[in-house]
Amino acid sequence: MSANIGVSLREHLLKHCDRTELRRIIYHIAETCKYISSILGEYNRKVAQTHNSSGEQQLEVDILSNEILMERLRRDTSFGINEFASEELDKLEIFNTNSGRYSVSCDPVDGSSLADVNLSIGTIVGIYDGPILNDRGGRDNMVAALYVLYGPLTTLMYTTKSGVHEFVLDPTGNYVLATENIRLEEKGSIYSPGGLKKDWTREHRDFIKTLEEQGHKLRYSGGLVADVNQILLKGGGIFTYPALVDKPDGKLRVYFELQQMALLVEQAGGLATNGEDHILNLSPTDIDARSPIYLGSKYEVNLAQQYLEHTVAV
Ligand code: AFP
């Protein structure tokens, strides 16, 4: 991991992405997130009278951010985007661009319920070469993943499968490279547990107990982007939102949150599984599919797997 000051996002993309259309899509999304960042303060306490396809209460900022992202991508057909999927939409949108090569799947503002208490939230985006729903699984289907974290700083983390790189939005409104080629340690020192303890399975509870006995510190904000960002920048650890006794698929969505985070973490030398299989091997047919997630350093993810498969040496 190294700091490489002064490099712009446009320059970095030219070096790390040889696909012109893909570079333009990433840059356009990064620019759009600047605008989303500017409206968060105004709309962060306004509750909409609607619910998303998962039945969750929507906030004004969810709807507005989705509209901004979708319409700015739909308008410029030169990007060659065919499908657009969002956690805030009931169904997948087809942009009717016959030459459309790429698809975009996103959570426009993840963690929006934290906005009213000024905790960090983020936009999560995955870019696919072809349709989002197919039998290829995310590792082959996705060509880029990024998130923008709206915190004390606005930062952007991206990969086009040639490493993971962090940019900071500077006071002049430019994304400037802050950290290049982020790598996770084999074993970290923090964990994000996810879900209510009373709803954990025995295997998950035993796993978390072992992490605590080994001295891992609990770090959990309730915002996926901030919690994963901490693991990427603090050298490792594990984020988990497990299968719960009443929700065997957990809470988080495969296509809007988990594939993107899995690609970033794998590119940083980590692992992302549902406790049995790699997240990027999954190819559910339901765009709203959920999955348990164990994501982060290899030691912790593999240890979780041993507990979940009852193979841990006690
Ligand atoms: P919201 O988008 O409804 O705030 O949920 C955030 C989230 O989807 C994800 O960002 C967190 O990791 C997870 O939910 C936290 O869930 P719990 O509140 O159940 O811990």
Side-chain angles (χ1 to χ4, degrees):
M1 183 156 91
S2 60
N4 201 334
I5 308 303
V7 175
S8 72
L9 178 60
R10 193 187 294 276
E11 287 171 82
H12 201 269
L13 283 168
L14 276 171
K15 196 171 105 184
H16 287 79
C17 178
D18 57 5
R19 300 181 188 203
T20 305
E21 274 178 340
L22 181 56
R23 284 201 304 269
R24 295 187 61 235
I25 294 169
I26 294 171
Y27 192 78
H28 193 75
I29 290 170
E31 290 297 297
T32 302
C33 288
K34 290 182 191 173
Y35 181 44
I36 290 175
S37 167
S38 72
I39 63 147
L40 289 178
E42 184 179 349
Y43 289 90
N44 71 342
R45 292 197 164 107
K46 296 182 180 172
V47 179
Q49 301 311 314
T50 53
H51 293 75
N52 65 16
S53 55
S54 304
E56 292 159 332
Q57 171 80 58
Q58 288 180 301
L59 299 175
E60 283 290 345
V61 73
D62 289 319
I63 296 171
L64 202 50
S65 302
N66 182 68
E67 283 298 309
I68 292 166
L69 208 49
M70 181 166 65
E71 293 316 316
R72 278 171 60 99
L73 287 172
R74 184 203 307 272
R75 251 200 327 251
D76 193 332
T77 53
S78 71
F79 291 143
I81 292 173
N82 188 354
E83 295 179 356
F84 177 87
S86 163
E87 183 179 301
E88 304 309 331
L89 293 175
D90 293 335
K91 61 180 178 46
L92 194 141
E93 284 277 320
I94 304 296
F95 280 178
N96 293 325
T97 47
N98 301 328
S99 62
R101 172 175 179 177
Y102 294 103
S103 298
V104 172
S105 180
C106 66
D107 185 352
V109 173
D110 179 83
S112 52
S113 67
L114 305 172
D116 62 349
V117 291
N118 199 27
L119 281 174
S120 297
I121 58 181
T123 296
I124 304 171
V125 180
I127 303 170
Y128 299 77
D129 188 356
I132 297 165
L133 294 175
N134 65 32
D135 56 5
R136 289 168 55 200
R139 191 176 292 103
D140 299 336
N141 205 16
M142 282 184 104
V143 288
L146 67 91
Y147 61 71
V148 175
L149 178 58
Y150 311 107
L153 292 172
T154 293
T155 57
L156 175 141
M157 194 77 77
Y158 94 91
T159 185
T160 50
K161 297 185 176 178
S162 60
V164 180
H165 316 289
E166 182 204 26
F167 287 76
V168 174
L169 192 60
D170 75 7
T172 66
N174 293 305
Y175 287 104
V176 178
L177 182 64
T179 319
E180 194 172 40
N181 295 317
I182 290 168
R183 301 296 296 173
L184 298 187
E185 303 292 337
E186 191 70 16
K187 180 177 182 180
S189 58
I190 57 179
Y191 76 100
S192 296
L196 291 175
K197 219 170 195 172
K198 71 176 182 62
D199 297 334
W200 289 351
T201 62
R202 183 176 53 76
E203 294 78 6
H204 184 77
R205 189 180 299 113
D206 292 348
F207 165 61
I208 296 294
K209 183 168 175 285
T210 300
L211 286 185
E212 289 174 337
E213 286 165 356
Q214 291 185 3
H216 278 65
K217 289 182 204 161
L218 190 155
R219 290 289 183 271
Y220 191 70
S221 75
L224 175 66
V225 179
D227 291 339
V228 172
N229 190 63
Q230 185 170 200
I231 285 171
L232 282 169
L233 292 179
K234 292 283 189 185
I238 188 167
F239 174 92
T240 169
Y241 203 105
L244 303 173
V245 288
D246 59 340
K247 292 179 186 155
D249 290 334
K251 173 180 184 180
L252 302 182
R253 281 78 165 192
V254 173
Y255 290 111
F256 303 131
E257 297 157 325
L258 300 185
Q259 285 190 336
Q260 294 86 341
M261 295 312 194
L263 190 65
L264 286 161
V265 165
E266 278 199 2
Q267 281 291 313
L271 289 174
T273 80
N274 61 5
E276 290 165 11
D277 193 4
H278 295 274
I279 291 293
L280 291 175
N281 290 344
L282 307 178
S283 55
T285 54
D286 174 5
I287 194 73
D288 290 312
R290 299 171 191 263
S291 167
I293 177 82
Y294 291 82
L295 170 144
S297 295
K298 288 178 178 170
Y299 169 82
E300 288 91 333
V301 175
N302 286 329
L303 182 64
Q305 202 121 339
Q306 289 169 32
Y307 273 93
L308 296 166
E309 291 167 352
H310 305 285
T311 57
V312 66
V314 289

